[in-house]
Amino acid sequence: MSTEHENAIQTEGDLLRDALARSKRKRVRRILRTMHPAKIASLLETLTPLQRVAVWQQIDEPHEAKVLAHLSPTMRDELRREGDQDGLDDQDDQGQTSSTKTLADAAGESKPAVQTQLRLVLEALEAGKLKRIARLFRKLHPARIAGLLESLPAAQRVVAWDMVDHERAGKVLRHLHEEVRRRLAAEMDLDDLVESARGLEPDDLVDLIQDLPAKLGREILLALNRRERERVESMLSYDEESAGGLMNLDQIAVRAEISVGTLLRYLRVLDVLPPNTDKFFIVDRKGRYQGILRADRVLTARPETSIADLMETDFEPVSVDQPGEDLARRFEDQDLISVPVIDAGGHLLGRITIDDIVDLIREQGERSMLGLAGLDEETDMFAPVLSSSRRRAVWLGINLLTAFLAAGVIGLFEGTLEQVVALAVLMPIVASMGGIAGSQTLTLVIRGLATGQLVAGNARILMLKEVGIGVLNGLLWAVVVAALSILWFGQWAIGAVIGVAILLNLLCAALAGVVIPLVMRRLGIDPALAGSVVLTTVTDVVGFFAFLGLATLVLL
């Protein structure tokens, strides 16, 4: 062996050992892909047993047999035994291993298949059989891989992430929640991250850059060519939940004076159409939007037909600064697949497709659901304890202040409670009934605001309706609770007091359920995030004050 060859092996061996020591498995795999099988075999001979198995787990399956051919029989048997070589031996009668069958059965999208996939990943991680994970990931859609990664604790997630093929890493990052995406991207080498990002569509690339630290985002931008960088930078200038932040730049724009045959010849040159292409956009010589041409019309029209004869000029585009909520509503109402995006001058900038709207709706729904419990930023359920506790502490502190406010109201009637102990038993009933009634109204109003069904013009009508419901339900349950209280404590006065208190609290809950979200929306506060806290405070304070105040006047 030549001295130059020995130096090369030594250098690559040092690089591999350094990558293993830093748990950079993707880097190990990248180094191995550049090496000849004989060179890999020589390197394996120089490593410790643990390092050897760790490196073997990163060798791509098509190259395994070639590497094994250069190893001694003893080491070959060791790696087959330790490295989970199901495909090289242990073949069943069908020529397929049981492990391969299991992976094939788990590659579906049904709930049992998803549970099986997670179980296989967890078992492979526990046994150190990383090749099983790599094989499973190659069979799955990037979105499903992202779901499995988010289901793993942080330490195991990093190990599994390293088994995602370099070519698919960018697409998997696209489907991860922001917090998980940021952490896994930080685990990648800068070169790998940049290369993975370059394979993304511009809108997905913008989403990734916005979620990464500023330094990494700049590095990705600098790695793009000038034209790509200018396009991405223009998209980064828009709010991420506006039309500009959601749009794609892969639209097909044509001129009205060309024929259908010319358009078809152009489409054949493209070879592959952009995803969700259901219409083409008509522009003039200056790029101003003129209308749309539906794809089905192109397929059924004669080649000599002019585009001008088939185009629709009344299809409204969306402004680049239009909010995402309005876009989602239009897609839902009109069953759209794509819409054109224009600037203030009417120039066509891009298009928004249904997949981006679905992602937006899902993210907003998750944010609203988590926001009800003060977890609006905690999208990673396996986030570190310290960061999770810090986020929740703020919410707990706010709730503590509201609890002290309710406790202060109770303290005003301390003397009443000492003399009539039955009041302490019945107090939670008043607060609970008001809280439930108020949350029903609050949920209805928040939904109306989100769907655009509730505006200033009809808010008064809704308020009167909810007040009417509050009065009717208040009278009904006031009678029920009053009767039960009289039977329990044998005092007509206690029954009358709690009945009137429930009626007043349900009436107040109805008013608060309508007014609170409307006021919050006017102040620019998300009612789905803070509405329930304010409502609970109002119903508790009003309920306790009405119940104990009436008791003080009537019973003492």
Side-chain angles (χ1 to χ4, degrees):
M1 186 180 293
S2 67
T3 303
E4 181 181 350
H5 189 55
E6 291 176 354
N7 291 338
I9 293 178
Q10 182 64 37
T11 301
E12 287 162 339
D14 291 340
L15 291 174
L16 279 172
R17 291 186 181 90
D18 177 69
L20 287 172
R22 299 171 58 187
S23 297
K24 297 293 185 181
R25 298 171 189 83
K26 287 186 184 293
R27 185 184 300 174
V28 171
R29 194 153 63 247
R30 190 174 69 248
I31 295 172
L32 291 172
R33 287 176 179 173
T34 64
M35 298 172 61
H36 189 276
K39 189 181 294 186
I40 296 174
S42 299
L43 275 173
L44 289 172
E45 299 277 1
T46 67
L47 300 175
T48 66
L50 288 177
Q51 290 176 329
R52 189 178 302 135
V53 172
V55 171
W56 181 250
Q57 293 286 349
Q58 305 304 322
I59 296 176
D60 292 334
E61 288 185 13
H63 300 138
E64 291 171 357
K66 297 177 182 179
V67 175
L68 288 173
H70 294 279
L71 294 172
S72 64
T74 302
M75 186 172 295
R76 187 183 308 149
D77 293 339
E78 174 190 344
L79 290 177
R80 280 174 168 170
R81 187 169 55 253
E82 297 291 339
D84 188 37
Q85 290 305 294
D86 305 301
L88 296 177
D89 40 48
D90 298 332
Q91 298 281 337
D92 62 15
D93 295 338
Q94 303 296 325
Q96 183 185 42
T97 67
S98 59
S99 174
T100 305
K101 284 183 178 181
T102 303
L103 291 176
D105 293 340
E109 293 296 330
S110 64
K111 185 175 180 180
V114 170
Q115 294 173 341
T116 301
Q117 293 160 6
L118 180 57
R119 177 178 55 80
L120 287 174
V121 171
L122 290 171
E123 290 175 353
L125 287 169
E126 184 177 355
K129 308 296 186 181
L130 302 185
K131 285 185 182 293
R132 292 181 185 175
I133 300 174
R135 284 199 295 273
L136 175 61
F137 282 176
R138 292 190 192 104
K139 296 175 181 290
L140 298 179
H141 189 276
R144 180 83 288 274
I145 298 174
L148 289 173
L149 290 172
E150 291 181 346
S151 302
L152 297 174
Q156 293 180 319
R157 181 186 296 152
V158 173
V159 177
W161 168 243
D162 286 335
M163 300 313 297
V164 177
D165 288 339
H166 168 72
E167 296 80 8
R168 306 182 74 196
K171 294 181 179 179
V172 175
L173 283 173
R174 170 186 176 271
H175 292 283
L176 290 167
H177 284 96
E178 177 182 339
E179 189 173 2
V180 180
R181 181 191 305 162
R182 187 166 51 245
R183 288 199 176 99
L184 291 183
E187 294 290 335
M188 298 179 69
D189 287 335
L190 181 59
D191 293 341
D192 286 343
L193 178 60
V194 170
E195 191 62 31
S196 299
R198 294 186 67 178
L200 295 175
E201 295 295 327
D203 60 322
D204 296 328
L205 180 57
V206 167
D207 291 339
L208 177 62
I209 292 175
Q210 288 172 332
D211 292 339
L212 293 177
K215 181 179 179 182
L216 290 179
R218 284 195 299 272
E219 293 291 344
I220 293 176
L221 282 175
L222 291 175
L224 303 175
N225 60 47
R226 181 178 177 181
R227 182 170 178 270
E228 291 175 333
R229 184 164 60 250
E230 289 176 350
R231 294 173 72 186
V232 171
E233 286 176 342
S234 68
M235 295 175 68
L236 284 170
S237 64
Y238 303 114
D239 183 88
E240 58 182 314
E241 291 192 359
S242 68
L246 294 170
M247 69 179 178
N248 303 300
L249 303 179
D250 58 354
Q251 73 276 6
I252 296 179
V254 298
R255 302 266 291 281
E257 57 266 25
I258 68 172
S259 66
V260 170
T262 303
L263 174 58
L264 288 173
R265 287 194 295 272
Y266 170 71
L267 296 179
R268 294 189 187 101
V269 172
L270 294 179
D271 192 26
V272 177
L273 293 179
N276 298 309
T277 298
D278 67 318
K279 58 179 69 78
F280 308 107
F281 305 116
I282 314 303
V283 296
D284 62 14
R285 294 179 180 274
K286 295 184 178 180
R288 288 189 294 258
Y289 172 78
Q290 301 293 304
I292 65 164
L293 172 62
R294 299 187 186 274
D296 56 351
R297 298 294 303 274
V298 175
L299 296 176
T300 57
R302 294 181 177 276
E304 64 273 13
T305 305
S306 172
I307 297 296
D309 296 333
L310 301 175
M311 63 183 286
E312 300 175 21
T313 58
D314 58 349
F315 189 90
E316 292 186 12
V318 299
S319 172
V320 70
D321 56 358
Q322 188 166 347
E325 288 184 4
D326 296 343
L327 292 171
R329 195 174 302 119
R330 180 177 175 187
F331 268 79
E332 179 184 5
D333 293 342
Q334 301 180 16
D335 294 327
L336 297 175
I337 296 177
S338 65
V339 295
V341 181
I342 61 171
D343 61 14
H347 298 91
L348 180 67
L349 298 179
R351 67 175 185 140
I352 297 174
T353 53
I354 184 61
D355 57 320
D356 297 309
I357 296 299
V358 170
D359 290 341
L360 174 66
I361 294 172
R362 176 180 58 82
E363 291 170 3
Q364 290 179 338
E366 290 178 351
R367 191 182 307 136
S368 296
M369 181 182 66
L370 293 172
L372 293 175
L375 302 176
D376 57 305
E377 296 182 357
E378 193 163 338
T379 54
D380 182 9
M381 63 180 178
F382 293 108
V385 173
L386 186 60
S387 61
S388 295
S389 61
R390 184 171 59 248
R391 291 169 181 164
R392 300 187 192 187
V394 176
W395 189 260
L396 291 172
I398 295 172
N399 278 272
L400 180 62
L401 293 175
T402 62
F404 269 117
L405 183 59
V409 172
I410 296 173
L412 296 175
F413 302 96
E414 184 177 352
T416 304
L417 289 170
E418 289 177 351
Q419 296 183 49
V420 187
V421 179
L423 298 177
V425 178
L426 298 174
M427 272 197 319
I429 298 176
V430 180
S432 176
M433 293 292 287
I436 294 298
S439 66
Q440 292 172 338
T441 302
L442 181 72
T443 302
L444 184 68
V445 173
I446 290 176
R447 179 185 177 276
L449 291 172
T451 58
Q453 294 177 326
L454 182 61
V455 294
N458 58 11
R460 182 173 175 273
I461 298 174
L462 178 63
M463 182 182 297
L464 292 175
K465 173 214 167 187
E466 291 299 320
V467 168
I469 293 174
V471 170
L472 290 177
N473 278 332
L475 290 172
L476 170 64
W477 294 108
V479 172
V480 172
V481 175
L484 292 174
S485 300
I486 293 170
L487 290 174
W488 190 355
F489 296 102
Q491 296 184 39
W492 287 88
I494 289 181
V497 167
I498 194 171
V500 174
I502 285 179
L503 175 59
L504 292 175
N505 204 21
L506 263 64
L507 181 59
C508 175
L511 287 169
V514 175
V515 172
I516 289 172
L518 292 176
V519 172
M520 286 187 167
R521 173 62 68 91
R522 182 67 62 87
L523 297 175
I525 301 172
D526 184 2
L529 174 62
S532 60
V533 176
V534 179
L535 177 68
T536 301
T537 304
V538 170
T539 55
D540 284 353
V541 169
V542 172
F544 291 148
F545 189 84
F547 182 51
L548 296 177
L550 287 171
T552 302
L553 294 174
V554 175
L555 301 178
L556 298 183

